[in-house]
């Protein structure tokens, strides 16, 4: 099955039938709103295996719109045109960055609610300390500071490395701490959307038990059961996403996915643990998702 179709019509024929399926552009039915470095890309790649889900190829799955004023001003048709072609019975999944990137600011979420009131939202999360480490490494390998020498990670997190710029924040340390504040982000989403429209995906389970986690998402989206054990191939490397297998095609997440993490100094780890624990307790009460650090 290939959900990244570029033709307008799919022709299928055998000895007894000859028919065509018209593909169409439409607004997404489900959006992954975050969280950065928690497995959002893997989540979408998994969902795209389902025959009733369509999504863009990996390099085009992020569609900037609601959180960017200039693009938002182009109107909803511009956004729809960025979606893949889909069969009439398929839902489209996409990732729209920036929705929860400003602490307490629900402007972009409200834009989404106004445009697509019934949209389903997926919020992917993982151990917040691991997410911080992944985020810092990403910024110096693939992000805004690519090519720059990365200071010791403890100095970056503890703001001892001088001022290091971060989009919409005064410093990278402030940015990476906020992006692991899942309780605040969930509060922002539920301030605009009903809870029944939001599902929290445990990104660690995408690695450890992908079948169980994707079946929960399947149920949330109202999709018919599809996923089986044979769709996932575990990898020997610790922390790596499984490979996704559909028919003859196998897709493995590479690049900066599942990079090896440096060990934090005890003082840094203790600081992060104390910083995140109150929010994690609240997040568990709200969503049932628990992380043990």
């Amino acid at each position: 099955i290939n959900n990244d179709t570029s033709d307008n019509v799919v022709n299928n024929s055998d000895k007894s039938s000859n028919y065509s399926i018209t593909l169409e552009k439409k607004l997404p039915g489900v959006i992954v709103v975050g969280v950065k470095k928690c497995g959002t890309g893997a989540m979408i790649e998994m969902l795209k295996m389902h025959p009733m889900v369509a999504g863009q190829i990996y390099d085009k799955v992020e569609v900037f719109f609601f959180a960017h004023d200039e693009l938002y001003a182009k109107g909803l048709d511009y956004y729809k045109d960025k979606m893949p072609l889909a069969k009439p019975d398929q839902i489209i999944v996409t990732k729209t960055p920036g929705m929860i990137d400003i602490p307490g600011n629900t402007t972009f979420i409200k834009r989404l609610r106004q445009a697509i009131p019934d949209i389903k939202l997926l919020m992917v999360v993982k151990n917040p300390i691991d997410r911080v480490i992944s985020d810092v490494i990403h910024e110096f390998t693939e992000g805004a500071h690519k090519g720059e020498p990365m200071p010791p990670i403890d100095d970056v997190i503890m703001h001892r490395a001088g001022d290091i710029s971060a989009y919409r924040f005064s410093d990278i340390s402030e940015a990476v701490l906020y992006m692991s504040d899942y309780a605040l982000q969930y509060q922002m989403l539920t301030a605009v959307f009903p809870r029944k429209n939001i599902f929290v995906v445990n990104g660690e389970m995408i690695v450890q038990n992908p079948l169980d986690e994707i079946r929960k998402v399947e149920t949330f989206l109202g999709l018919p059961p599809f996923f089986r054990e044979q769709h996932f191939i575990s990898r020997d490397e610790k922390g790596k996403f499984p490979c996704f297998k559909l028919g003859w095609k196998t897709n493995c997440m590479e690049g900066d996915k599942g990079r090896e993490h440096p060990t934090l100094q005890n003082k840094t780890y203790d600081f992060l643990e104390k910083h995140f624990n109150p929010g994690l307790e609240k997040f568990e009460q709200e969503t049932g998702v628990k992380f043990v650090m």
Side-chain angles (χ1 to χ4, degrees):
I1 299 168
N2 181 1
N3 290 337
D4 305 318
T5 310
S6 58
D7 298 321
N8 287 325
V9 176
V10 175
N11 290 308
N12 296 278
S13 60
D14 56 31
K15 293 179 180 179
S16 60
S17 66
N18 189 358
Y19 63 94
S20 64
I21 301 172
T22 301
L23 303 180
E24 59 186 357
K25 295 264 188 177
K26 53 186 174 181
L27 292 171
V30 55
I31 285 182
V32 178
V33 293
V35 176
K36 178 185 177 186
K37 307 312 299 175
C38 287
T40 56
M43 181 74 261
I44 290 178
E45 291 303 297
M46 290 167 68
L47 268 179
K48 282 164 52 181
M49 290 194 291
H50 197 293
M52 293 190 66
V53 177
Q56 285 283 23
I57 59 174
Y58 184 79
D59 291 342
K60 294 183 178 180
V61 78
E62 284 194 344
V63 182
F64 294 86
F65 184 68
F66 294 102
H68 295 75
D69 292 342
E70 291 183 6
L71 297 179
Y72 183 69
K74 294 184 177 183
L76 207 55
D77 284 342
Y78 166 85
Y79 183 62
K80 184 168 71 172
D81 191 55
K82 297 294 182 182
M83 297 300 120
L85 289 163
K87 299 174 186 176
D89 62 347
Q90 286 181 313
I91 62 169
I92 291 175
V93 60
T94 190
K95 179 162 56 169
T96 301
M99 305 294 293
I100 53 176
D101 282 5
I102 303 177
N105 190 323
T106 58
T107 300
F108 311 136
I109 306 170
K110 289 175 180 175
R111 287 176 175 177
L112 173 59
R113 180 78 194 277
Q114 182 179 17
I116 320 174
D118 297 327
I119 192 83
K120 298 289 184 71
L121 309 179
L122 296 179
M123 178 184 179
V124 188
V125 297
K126 73 176 184 181
N127 181 301
I129 294 179
D130 290 344
R131 198 219 66 82
V132 165
I133 298 171
S134 296
D135 202 351
V136 173
I137 294 172
H138 172 83
E139 286 303 306
F140 282 93
T141 54
E142 305 290 336
H145 298 281
K146 182 179 180 179
E148 300 176 17
M150 185 176 122
I153 193 165
D154 296 273
D155 292 343
V156 175
I157 293 170
M158 301 300 287
H159 199 187
R160 297 192 299 255
D163 292 331
I164 303 174
S165 63
Y167 183 56
R168 288 177 169 156
F169 289 87
S170 60
D171 182 80
I172 191 173
S173 61
E174 181 185 359
V176 298
L177 290 179
Y178 162 67
M179 289 309 297
S180 283
D181 189 348
Y182 307 141
L184 176 55
Q185 294 159 8
Y186 186 74
Q187 179 183 334
M188 291 161 60
L189 293 173
T190 56
V192 179
F193 279 91
R195 291 172 186 261
K196 66 180 180 67
N197 286 54
I198 306 166
F199 185 78
V200 177
V201 180
N202 188 329
E204 296 189 0
M205 290 298 102
I206 296 177
V207 175
Q208 299 170 18
N209 191 353
L211 180 59
D212 185 56
E213 200 65 17
I214 194 64
R215 281 179 170 171
K216 293 176 185 177
V217 175
E218 222 175 22
T219 299
F220 167 70
L221 296 178
L223 295 170
F226 168 76
F227 292 99
R228 300 289 184 270
E229 288 282 358
Q230 62 262 29
H231 291 125
F232 305 100
I233 303 172
S234 60
R235 305 168 78 176
D236 295 334
E237 300 163 273
K238 182 181 178 182
K240 285 282 188 181
F241 292 113
C243 294
F244 311 131
K245 183 175 177 61
L246 189 62
W248 56 268
K249 184 178 180 181
T250 301
N251 179 19
C252 298
M253 306 295 291
E254 300 295 350
D256 64 341
K257 310 302 178 186
R259 287 183 186 273
E260 185 176 347
H261 283 185
T263 301
L264 297 179
Q265 295 173 1
N266 289 338
K267 287 185 177 180
T268 307
Y269 192 91
D270 289 345
F271 163 77
L272 292 174
E273 195 171 38
K274 291 177 182 177
H275 179 84
F276 289 130
N277 268 335
L280 286 180
E281 291 176 6
K282 181 179 180 181
F283 187 66
E284 182 185 358
Q285 292 172 359
E286 293 283 335
T287 68
V289 177
K290 181 179 181 178
F291 295 107
V292 178
M293 292 188 291

